[in-house]
Amino acid sequence: MDWAGWSLFGLLATVGLTALMISAQLGGLSRLDLPLILGTVVTPDPDRARAAGFLIHLAVGQCFALGYAGCFVLLGQATWWIGGLLGALHGAVALTVILPMLVGVHPRMASHRAGPQSVAVLEPPGLIGLNYGAQTPLVTIAAHVAYGIALGALLEIS
């Protein structure tokens, strides 16, 4: 495995994924603000939260890139299409497991059961992130597929 490649390409793929998600938000395709959601775990200030959330997402992206690299090693090859399939799976898990799980652990995210006394500042994501817009699932899957394609195309197995 090209471990130097893993560290560099994992970082680049994560920056690309984050840029796609932010571009979709700025373009009105989704209201999912991943840096804000991740950053408000550690600070209530939205500006600081976005910066912290971006760094958190980079770190998490490196961990996922290591998982992709491990899959490529187990399969004995790294290709763009295997990366794309892993990205689709990754996006599906993000929408169906990780995002909904945040409601239970995020200190500033409301839940569907939150009543009028809730002081949460972030709305819950809803089923597959639909509370952040109807196109959020498609944007999320597409960004994760791009992430996987980048890793599959750039990583070398030796």
Side-chain angles (χ1 to χ4, degrees):
M1 169 54 63
D2 178 11
W3 295 109
W6 157 74
S7 62
L8 174 63
F9 299 136
L11 187 66
L12 292 175
T14 304
V15 168
L17 182 151
T18 308
L20 286 171
M21 297 290 291
I22 291 170
S23 296
Q25 180 198 11
L26 294 174
L29 297 175
S30 173
R31 291 186 307 106
L32 177 61
D33 188 341
L34 203 49
L36 179 67
I37 290 172
L38 293 174
T40 51
V41 169
V42 296
T43 180
D45 180 82
D47 294 325
R48 287 193 174 126
R50 283 189 178 90
F54 180 76
L55 294 175
I56 291 168
H57 197 241
L58 286 180
V60 170
Q62 284 295 89
C63 294
F64 274 102
L66 181 59
Y68 279 62
C71 287
F72 294 142
V73 167
L74 287 174
L75 295 171
Q77 62 181 333
T79 65
W80 68 269
W81 64 270
I82 293 174
L85 290 174
L86 289 172
L89 176 63
H90 181 182
V93 168
L95 287 168
T96 60
V97 177
I98 298 170
L99 200 55
M101 187 177 63
L102 283 177
V103 172
V105 297
H106 197 297
R108 294 175 184 85
M109 184 177 281
S111 72
H112 288 291
R113 296 185 179 106
Q117 285 77 18
S118 175
V119 294
V121 294
L122 298 174
E123 68 180 312
L127 178 67
I128 61 173
L130 288 173
N131 283 0
Y132 297 129
Q135 295 180 25
T136 297
L138 293 174
V139 165
T140 302
I141 295 292
H144 284 83
V145 167
Y147 172 87
I149 288 172
L151 288 174
L154 295 172
L155 289 176
E156 293 181 16
I157 304 296
S158 51

